[in-house]
């Protein structure tokens, strides 16, 4: 009798285990289906929003099958554009596809003179276009398919291991061979020494001459389900502006470089993408994958004036009211520098500090 | 006599043409094999660019799939053509379109002249080989592999497991042991002719055409029977990463390659203009017959592979998020946690700083503010003393703290009055060294002279917290090096105990201490404890603390500093 009972007990237990496994499988399938629906919704949005874009300069015939393409949305970035283009041309970007949203400072006119730029203009809402992502998704559907694509803002300068000697073509070829389709590159907020709005000798040809400093080790890392994307927070903005509510501090993880397929879509700016394997370019077994950083040149002295404008425009956050304090703090012309700030030297320094990794690319 | 080059090409034809011309300029005839998969238009334009040179010939084209027989067939045909067309060739060097000669061609010729009857071919028996990455060693020979590993991966794997289940074992058509080694070799005419004109070649070819990666075993095995003298190494510098694909050389490897004294290196990135420009220049210096020394490059690549596979212990960053922190490092180096010491000793923190080289923080997890060492408001790495930022990610906070000052040995104070969210974290960290005096926090309450009612409440709370924490440190999950005393136990021999702790933190540290910290005045503490007991509390964390113990301590010259051995 006891024998029978124990056999019964065993079957019951195993049955439970299998049932929970089945349940988990079902849940993960539901999740995958949801993500698929989400991705397709983004693609549909992008296709609908294509009518908001008007082409101002079309040089897309210059794109060849192995070209590395850069996609950006800009608004009044005349200060940063020369250095932006210079930086990425040096890295070997072959063509820039730029959406200019409500530009009034001559950015469009400047870009029209460039030999490797195609421009679309729009006066519609940046926020309603998922912060420009819908527009770019449409351009990526049209032009990005099967290309290595870089999606960056005008204030983001990509740096990766060996970037001085090895252009993007070398990196992407190596990523291809390693079977990796995306590159993780967190934002590194660069700031000057002293009040950000009153910097002497601000050299627009190289914003990094003024913005030389960064925080080297105050970041928090989480993996978010169900997209398995990273959530990195921290840096000078977190400690200065979001000290009492770190949860709301800006997201720093980015996936700017992707071997694109027209069925891909960025979800939340370039912080995460679908399908979710694009988010998983980190090692989970103690191993280190390759990664870079986006040097974030937001804190040029124009930020103080811009913040006044952005506070009124309410185009940058989903619930903008919550970020009024942030803009107020920026308008007050703060100093982000502390004696623990680190001065930027090169990518090797960033690797030593543990911010990036060359992940086997010797 | 000279060296003939067999060149296998499948892409980057401009570079291949450049290299071929370089070999011919150095006096070496070249036979090129072009992959059959390349379009005819590309082939004819490539042939046209080299049409002006008689010393370059093109062999019959085969389909070259990685790991398949095509590569060997291509090599056989090209070698036959080379030996036939150029009778003055004594050595044949197998190379590819992305190989680059690092030293002047004449130096290679001179080196091979000095080793006229030597075959340079890496060839080792399977048992001695550790570099295979696919888990197939002897089975490379005993199973059949008709499917492509790259394109038909699933079929490949299924067929392998099917054969394993059926216990398929092919017989070798020869008596000798199979050998494997680098695909890139340099053989003498005699050996190569021996292999190619072997009467049993048909049988061998049939066997090897079903072997996995035959290009790493065909010549390596057969040359063993035909060679007079084998030097088991490759003259081509070629390194593989952990996925089994070759490391690529870029412009920034220039100095490293130059100093390696290797003859040929692969693989070179086709865009590495500086490398091509430097190494394909005609030689200016006098020729040397130095031996190749690839060790430096070996080190660079093995370090890179280690970084890729194991990562940096105790680091969490955007491309390293271990899901099993225990195995891959909760922290990057050892650190010390003191619990209760700053309550028992008046000047414990300054004393510890004076007498040791530790970086001594206060209560990092204080409920109000982070007490960094020396009262700093910011710590290395831009860490702020805000409790909100710390409590947002306490684990990350501790990990960052240890990582940011990893050149220092750090210590911090901890107690039941602090934020407890971290306590399991260091209890399970093998890098942590915890010294704990339970109940010592009561001394703070005693000295502050708080209202008894209030004190009684917090004491009960803290006692509960502390015993939970002590249980964690003593549990089976704990990995920290810990020493735990009750206050009564500790007071039995403070000097010895302190020195034990110091030696735990760093061996020999106990002996360096010449000055002892000053203990607080415990006069009346025994009565205070008795009072708590009388009120119905059981301060068990204090240990067996009797009233007269307190008196005893105060009567004896406790205030006089004593020496710690």
């Amino acid at each position: 009798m006891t024998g029978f009972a124990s056999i019964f007990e065993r079957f019951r237990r195993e049955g439970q285990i299998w049932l929970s496994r089945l349940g988990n499988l079902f849940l993960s399938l539901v999740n995958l289906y949801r993500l698929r629906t989400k991705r397709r919704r983004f693609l549909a949005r992008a296709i609908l929003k294509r009518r908001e874009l008007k082409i101002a300069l079309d040089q897309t015939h210059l794109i060849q099958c192995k070209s590395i393409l850069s996609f950006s949305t800009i608004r009044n970035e005349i200060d940063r554009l020369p250095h932006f283009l210079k930086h990425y041309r040096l890295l070997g970007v072959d063509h820039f596809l730029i959406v200019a949203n409500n530009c009034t400072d001559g950015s469009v006119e400047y870009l029209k003179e460039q030999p490797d730029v195609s421009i679309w203009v729009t006066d519609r809402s940046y926020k309603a276009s998922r912060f420009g992502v819908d527009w770019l998704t449409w351009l990526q559907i049209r032009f990005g398919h099967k290309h290595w694509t870089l999606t960056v803002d005008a204030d983001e300068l990509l740096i990766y291991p060996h970037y001085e000697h090895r252009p993007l073509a070398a990196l992407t070829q190596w990523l291809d061979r390693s079977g990796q389709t995306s590159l993780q590159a967190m934002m590194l907020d660069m700031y000057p020494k002293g009040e950000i709005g009153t910097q002497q000798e601000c050299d627009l040809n190289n914003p990094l001459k003024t913005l030389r400093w960064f925080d080297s080790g105050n970041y928090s890392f989480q993996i978010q389900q169900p997209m398995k994307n990273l959530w990195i927070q921290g840096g000078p903005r977190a400690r200065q502006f979001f000290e009492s509510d770190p949860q709301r501090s800006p997201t720093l993880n980015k996936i700017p470089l992707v071997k694109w397929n027209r069925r891909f879509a960025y979800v939340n700016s370039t912080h995460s993408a679908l399908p979710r394997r694009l988010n998983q370019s980190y090692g989970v077994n103690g191993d280190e994958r390759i990664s870079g950083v986006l040097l974030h040149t937001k804190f040029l002295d124009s930020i103080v004036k811009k913040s006044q404008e952005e506070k009124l425009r309410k185009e940058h956050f989903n619930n903008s009211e919550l970020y009024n304090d942030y803009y107020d703090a920026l308008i007050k012309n703060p100093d982000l520098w502390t004696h623990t700030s680190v001065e930027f030297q090169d990518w090797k320094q960033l690797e030593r500090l543990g911010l990036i990794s060359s992940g086997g690319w010797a | 006599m000279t060296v003939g080059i067999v060149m296998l090409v499948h892409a980057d034809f401009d570079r291949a043409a450049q290299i071929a011309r370089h070999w011919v300029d150095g006096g070496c005839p070249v036979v090129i094999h072009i992959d059959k998969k390349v379009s005819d238009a590309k082939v004819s334009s490539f042939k046209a660019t080299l049409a002006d040179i008689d010393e370059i010939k093109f062999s019959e084209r085969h389909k070259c799939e990685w790991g398949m027989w095509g590569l060997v067939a291509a090599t056989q045909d090209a070698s036959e053509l080379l030996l036939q067309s150029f009778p003055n060739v004594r050595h044949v060097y197998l190379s590819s379109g992305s190989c680059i000669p690092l030293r002047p061609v004449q130096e290679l010729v001179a080196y091979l002249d000095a080793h006229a009857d030597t075959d340079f071919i890496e060839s080792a028996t399977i048992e001695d080989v550790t570099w295979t990455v696919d888990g197939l060693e002897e089975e490379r020979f005993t199973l059949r592999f008709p499917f492509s590993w790259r394109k038909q991966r699933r079929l490949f794997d299924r067929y392998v497991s099917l054969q394993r289940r059926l216990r398929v074992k092919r017989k070798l058509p020869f008596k000798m042991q199979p050998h494997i080694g680098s695909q890139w070799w340099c053989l003498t005419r005699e050996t190569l002719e021996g292999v190619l004109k072997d009467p049993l070649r048909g049988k061998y070819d049939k066997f090897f055409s079903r072997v996995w990666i035959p290009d790493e075993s065909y010549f390596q095995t057969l040359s063993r029977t035909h060679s007079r003298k084998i030097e088991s190494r490759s003259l081509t510098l070629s390194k593989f990463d952990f996925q089994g694909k070759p490391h690529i050389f870029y412009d920034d490897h220039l100095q490293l390659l130059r100093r390696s004294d290797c003859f040929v290196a692969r693989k070179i990135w086709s865009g590495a203009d500086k490398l091509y420009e430097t190494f394909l220049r005609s030689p200016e210096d006098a020729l040397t017959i130095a031996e190749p020394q690839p060790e430096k490059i070996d080190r660079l690549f093995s370090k890179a592979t280690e970084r890729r596979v194991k990562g940096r212990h105790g680091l969490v960053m955007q491309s390293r998020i271990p899901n099993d922190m225990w195995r891959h490092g909760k922290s990057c180096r050892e650190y010390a946690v003191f619990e209760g010491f700053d309550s028992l000793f008046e000047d414990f923190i300054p004393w510890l700083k004076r007498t040791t080289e530790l970086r001594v923080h206060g209560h990092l997890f204080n409920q109000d503010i982070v007490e960094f060492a020396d009262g700093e408001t910011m710590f290395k790495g831009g860490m702020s003393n805000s409790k909100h930022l710390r409590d947002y990610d306490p684990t990350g906070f501790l990990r960052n703290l240890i990582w940011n000052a990893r050149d220092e040995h750090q210590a911090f104070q901890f107690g039941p009055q602090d934020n407890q969210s971290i306590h399991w974290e260091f209890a399970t960290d093998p890098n942590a060294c915890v010294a704990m005096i339970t109940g010592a926090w009561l001394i703070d309450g005693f000295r502050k002279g708080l209202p008894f009612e209030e004190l009684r409440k917090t004491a009960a709370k803290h006692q509960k917290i502390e015993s939970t924490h002590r249980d964690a440190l003593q549990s089976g999950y704990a990995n920290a090096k810990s020493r735990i005393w009750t206050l009564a136990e500790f007071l039995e021999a403070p000097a010895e105990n302190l020195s034990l702790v110091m030696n735990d933190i760093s061996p020999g540290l106990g002996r360096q201490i010449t000055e002892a910290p000053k203990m607080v005045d415990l006069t009346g503490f025994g009565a205070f404890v008795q009072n708590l007991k009388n009120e119905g509390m059981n301060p068990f964390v204090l240990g067996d603390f009797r009233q007269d113990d307190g008196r005893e301590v105060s009567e004896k010259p406790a205030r006089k500093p004593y020496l710690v051995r």
Side-chain angles (χ1 to χ4, degrees):
Chain A
M1 189 63 203
T2 47
F4 180 75
S6 77
I7 289 171
F8 176 76
E9 178 60 22
R10 216 183 103 199
F11 268 96
R12 202 180 61 88
R13 221 181 305 139
E14 290 213 340
Q16 269 178 350
I17 291 170
W18 276 104
L19 215 65
S20 78
R21 270 187 203 157
L22 217 66
N24 284 342
L25 183 73
F26 179 71
L27 278 182
S28 68
L29 285 177
V30 167
N31 264 337
L32 281 180
Y33 183 73
R34 274 194 193 139
L35 292 178
R36 178 169 175 266
T37 316
K38 193 173 181 180
R39 178 172 56 84
R40 292 164 72 112
R41 200 177 68 231
F42 288 149
L43 291 174
R45 271 182 76 126
I47 293 169
L48 288 175
K49 296 261 176 175
R50 74 188 187 279
R51 293 183 207 284
E52 297 184 2
L53 298 174
K54 261 187 237 109
I55 189 139
L57 174 63
D58 184 1
Q59 306 197 62
T60 49
H61 59 277
L62 296 172
I63 298 174
Q64 291 177 351
C65 70
K66 280 191 176 174
S67 293
I68 293 171
L69 309 178
S70 154
F71 294 84
S72 321
T73 306
I74 61 157
R75 177 177 173 273
N76 290 348
E77 292 287 3
I78 191 68
D79 290 353
R80 290 191 178 87
L81 280 174
H83 184 254
F84 172 83
L85 293 175
K86 194 176 125 203
H87 179 84
Y88 285 109
R89 277 178 189 144
L90 267 178
L91 291 187
V93 169
D94 296 298
H95 201 81
F96 297 87
L97 298 98
I98 296 180
V99 174
N101 179 212
N102 278 324
C103 282
T104 51
D105 66 345
S107 296
V108 176
E109 289 69 27
Y110 173 78
L111 286 172
K112 275 185 180 169
E113 292 162 14
Q114 308 301 321
D116 49 1
V117 176
S118 296
I119 313 160
W120 287 260
V121 291
T122 178
D123 50 8
R124 306 296 278 272
S125 163
Y126 177 70
K127 191 171 168 182
S129 161
R130 288 200 296 133
F131 311 107
V133 175
D134 284 339
W135 298 328
L136 293 186
T137 305
W138 165 245
L139 294 183
Q140 279 157 342
I141 291 172
R142 271 201 66 193
F143 302 104
H145 188 56
K146 289 190 172 171
H147 287 274
W148 275 96
T149 62
L150 192 67
T151 310
V152 284
D153 290 342
D155 59 0
E156 295 171 346
L157 303 170
L158 177 69
I159 276 186
Y160 51 86
H162 306 285
Y163 79 100
E164 309 103 321
H165 299 285
R166 307 181 193 174
L168 280 167
L171 173 69
T172 52
Q173 205 178 324
W174 185 80
L175 288 172
D176 271 334
R177 290 171 56 90
S178 317
Q180 209 172 315
T181 47
S182 61
L183 178 82
Q184 195 79 243
M186 69 183 267
M187 283 207 281
L188 196 62
D189 288 336
M190 306 299 291
Y191 49 83
K193 190 171 179 176
E195 291 171 339
I196 52 178
T198 37
Q199 288 294 310
Q200 304 287 313
E201 53 170 342
C202 188
D203 186 356
L204 287 179
N205 288 322
N206 188 1
L208 295 176
K209 265 190 189 165
T210 321
L211 309 178
R212 291 205 309 269
W213 306 84
F214 63 94
D215 280 12
S216 69
N218 54 4
Y219 300 94
S220 70
F221 301 88
Q222 294 174 53
I223 293 176
Q224 286 188 307
Q225 299 297 350
M227 287 206 292
K228 301 200 171 177
N229 57 296
L230 282 183
W231 190 18
I232 307 180
Q233 288 172 293
R237 279 185 285 173
R239 67 171 156 78
Q240 195 100 357
F241 308 128
F242 296 92
E243 183 261 314
S244 52
D245 192 2
Q247 171 96 23
R248 278 201 299 120
S249 68
T251 305
L252 301 176
N253 47 295
K254 289 232 164 182
I255 313 163
L257 187 63
V258 174
K259 175 79 174 277
W260 203 261
N261 183 298
R262 59 176 157 244
R263 310 195 68 89
F264 290 175
Y266 279 118
V267 176
N268 173 10
S269 171
T270 51
H271 299 309
S272 53
L274 282 172
R276 63 180 182 184
R277 66 187 137 86
L278 297 176
N279 301 325
Q280 287 170 281
S281 45
Y282 45 82
V284 292
N285 295 313
D287 53 325
E288 272 178 38
R289 301 270 195 100
I290 190 168
S291 53
V293 286
L294 293 169
L295 300 179
H296 196 205
T297 62
K298 188 185 180 72
F299 299 108
L300 282 178
D301 52 5
S302 50
I303 182 76
V304 177
K305 212 178 91 212
K306 259 197 170 167
S307 297
Q308 288 165 345
E309 224 174 283
E310 296 300 345
K311 188 182 167 187
L312 297 177
R313 263 176 29 104
K314 298 182 181 167
E315 284 277 296
H316 277 274
F317 295 99
N318 274 326
N319 30 9
S320 301
E321 305 302 328
L322 278 172
Y323 289 84
N324 279 343
D325 295 350
Y326 170 53
Y327 284 127
D328 287 339
L330 275 172
I331 291 164
K332 275 184 201 147
N333 193 8
D335 180 0
L336 295 175
W337 192 88
T338 74
H339 68 277
T340 59
S341 300
V342 179
E343 190 170 7
F344 177 72
Q345 291 161 2
D346 54 8
W347 69 267
K348 283 184 183 161
Q349 172 201 29
L350 297 183
E351 189 177 29
R352 271 198 306 280
L353 290 168
L355 287 165
I356 65 171
S357 176
S358 53
W361 197 33
Chain B
M1 292 309 241
T2 180
V3 184
I5 308 294
V6 169
M7 214 166 144
L8 308 176
V9 180
H10 69 277
D12 297 322
F13 294 99
D14 295 346
R15 289 302 187 195
Q18 225 181 328
I19 302 278
R21 274 176 193 280
H22 179 75
W23 284 119
V24 173
D25 289 345
C28 298
V30 178
V31 169
I32 298 178
H33 172 271
I34 308 170
D35 194 338
K36 206 170 186 180
K37 282 181 288 185
V38 178
S39 71
D40 289 341
K42 272 186 185 165
V43 173
S44 48
S45 79
F46 176 53
K47 282 186 175 173
T49 57
L50 293 171
D52 57 318
I53 307 173
D54 294 334
E55 285 85 13
I56 295 183
K57 292 199 181 301
F58 295 89
S59 67
E60 197 196 324
R61 292 166 62 193
H62 294 268
K63 231 186 201 168
C64 293
E65 181 79 46
W66 183 80
M68 305 294 274
W69 172 250
L71 273 167
V72 180
T75 314
Q76 286 175 333
D77 284 0
S79 311
E80 269 170 353
L81 182 65
L82 183 77
L83 294 174
Q84 241 169 47
S85 324
F86 305 102
N88 64 333
V89 164
R90 193 193 47 232
H91 270 95
V92 175
Y93 200 116
L94 179 61
S95 75
S96 79
S98 51
C99 290
I100 196 171
L102 301 182
R103 288 165 67 176
V105 179
Q106 288 81 0
E107 285 191 17
L108 176 65
V109 176
Y111 186 83
L112 291 174
D113 277 341
H115 300 83
D117 53 355
T118 310
D119 294 298
F120 293 93
I121 179 165
E122 189 182 36
S123 149
T125 55
I126 297 273
E127 292 82 34
D128 304 317
V129 165
T130 52
W131 67 71
T132 52
V133 289
D134 41 27
L136 293 161
E137 287 171 0
E138 206 186 329
E139 288 173 332
R140 284 178 179 220
F141 295 95
T142 58
L143 303 184
R144 289 178 181 83
F145 297 90
F147 300 109
S148 159
W149 188 74
R150 289 219 170 134
K151 288 188 184 152
Q152 302 158 302
R153 186 62 172 275
R154 195 171 280 189
L155 272 174
F156 181 97
D157 289 341
R158 293 245 170 103
Y159 196 53
V160 166
S161 59
L162 178 72
Q163 292 179 81
R164 280 179 182 162
R165 200 169 294 172
L166 294 176
R167 306 224 171 122
V168 171
K169 204 162 186 188
R170 288 207 292 163
K171 263 204 182 134
L172 306 175
F174 41 77
K175 280 187 182 150
M176 61 167 306
Q177 271 217 324
H179 285 66
I180 60 173
S182 165
Q183 178 192 357
W184 312 105
W185 42 251
C186 174
L187 296 176
T188 57
R189 175 180 279 269
E190 290 76 39
T191 308
L192 197 53
E193 274 177 346
V195 172
L196 294 173
K197 290 182 181 157
D198 196 305
L200 293 174
R201 181 176 150 189
K203 215 169 141 194
Y204 293 157
D205 285 8
K206 202 176 155 210
F207 173 80
F208 275 100
S209 64
R210 286 286 176 266
V211 160
W212 172 230
I213 325 185
D215 48 306
E216 289 185 358
S217 59
Y218 181 82
F219 289 97
Q220 288 71 5
T221 304
L222 296 182
S223 61
R224 283 277 166 189
T225 49
H226 296 285
S227 173
R228 278 173 292 166
K229 187 177 169 193
I230 279 189
E231 184 129 349
S232 180
R233 66 186 161 101
S234 174
L235 291 181
T236 301
L237 172 70
S238 172
K239 293 286 154 215
F240 293 89
D241 66 11
F242 78 108
Q243 287 175 312
K245 49 188 180 51
H247 277 296
I248 300 175
F249 292 104
Y250 301 92
D251 280 346
D252 48 303
H253 291 124
L254 178 64
Q255 292 308 324
L256 209 65
L257 286 173
R258 228 188 215 162
R259 272 185 248 127
S260 73
D261 277 333
C262 291
F263 287 106
V264 177
R266 100 182 281 273
K267 230 171 143 142
I268 311 292
W269 182 52
S270 61
D273 295 338
K274 219 161 97 193
L275 292 186
Y276 280 97
E277 201 181 291
T278 313
F279 291 117
L280 299 189
R281 218 182 282 150
S282 40
E284 295 154 10
D285 312 332
L287 301 182
T288 56
I289 316 194
E291 282 290 331
Q293 290 171 325
E295 292 82 11
K296 250 194 186 154
I297 293 177
D298 277 357
R299 267 203 298 281
L300 175 80
F301 286 137
S302 56
K303 246 166 103 181
T305 299
E306 198 187 316
R307 169 74 49 100
R308 173 68 183 84
V309 178
K310 289 187 181 159
R312 284 168 278 184
H313 199 78
L315 170 69
V316 169
M317 49 133 14
Q318 53 172 335
S319 49
R320 183 186 199 262
I321 318 248
N323 50 20
D324 181 357
M325 289 305 289
W326 187 84
R327 255 181 41 217
H328 303 295
K330 285 167 175 284
S331 55
C332 65
R333 68 163 291 167
E334 66 276 25
Y335 57 95
V337 186
F338 290 97
E339 306 190 23
F341 285 74
D342 59 328
S343 304
L344 182 60
F345 299 104
E346 247 169 23
D347 58 343
F348 184 69
I349 294 173
W351 169 82
L352 196 59
K353 224 174 67 190
R354 257 198 329 271
T355 49
T356 64
E357 277 172 1
L358 297 175
R359 166 78 73 134
V360 191
H361 300 286
H363 286 260
L364 282 180
F365 292 90
N366 186 322
Q367 301 275 16
D368 300 322
I369 198 164
V370 182
E371 295 177 1
F372 286 126
D374 308 318
E376 293 274 16
T377 54
M378 295 285 293
F379 189 65
K380 281 185 186 175
M383 300 186 71
S384 144
N385 66 349
S386 147
K387 65 170 174 179
H388 300 291
L389 285 172
R390 176 197 65 198
D391 295 344
Y392 183 55
D393 179 16
T395 318
F397 173 86
L398 183 61
R399 193 197 316 116
N400 279 343
L401 181 97
I402 307 293
W403 173 264
N404 288 339
R406 60 192 178 282
D407 50 343
E408 291 175 283
H409 197 147
Q410 299 185 76
F412 66 91
Q413 321 299 319
F414 193 73
Q417 63 277 35
D418 292 339
N419 184 335
Q420 296 292 310
S421 55
I422 197 71
H423 86 103
W424 266 108
E425 199 53 38
F426 65 78
T428 50
D429 187 352
N431 274 328
C433 181
V434 186
M436 181 183 195
I437 308 175
T438 62
W441 47 271
L442 258 175
I443 301 175
D444 290 343
F446 157 68
R447 293 177 74 205
K448 271 185 204 151
L450 292 176
F452 195 78
E453 200 47 35
E454 194 183 317
L455 204 142
R456 165 84 179 74
K457 236 186 239 160
T458 53
K461 199 175 104 197
H462 286 166
Q463 171 154 281
K464 214 171 192 174
I465 291 172
E466 186 164 55
S467 66
T468 313
H469 175 50
R470 189 184 58 189
D471 290 347
L473 283 174
Q474 289 172 336
S475 77
Y477 302 105
N479 288 296
K481 245 195 290 178
S482 57
R483 266 181 207 280
I484 303 169
W485 295 275
T486 59
L487 182 59
E489 283 164 3
F490 188 85
L491 286 176
E492 279 168 18
E496 282 80 3
N497 291 340
L498 205 54
S499 126
L500 279 177
V501 170
M502 291 303 157
N503 282 332
D504 277 354
I505 292 168
S506 153
L509 197 63
R511 227 171 300 133
Q512 289 171 23
I513 297 169
T514 49
E515 168 204 348
K518 194 177 158 204
M519 207 187 284
V520 298
D521 183 3
L522 286 176
T523 319
F525 187 63
F528 169 79
V529 171
Q530 189 56 50
N531 206 359
L532 276 179
K533 285 182 184 164
N534 296 345
E535 286 298 314
M537 187 189 164
N538 175 19
F540 60 87
V541 288
L542 286 172
D544 193 12
F545 204 94
R546 279 171 298 129
Q547 189 173 356
D548 44 287
D549 276 2
R551 268 184 212 143
E552 221 173 40
V553 168
S554 64
E555 279 160 12
K556 286 193 174 172
R559 264 175 286 170
K560 199 176 103 192
Y562 43 76
L563 285 180
V564 182
R565 251 175 287 144

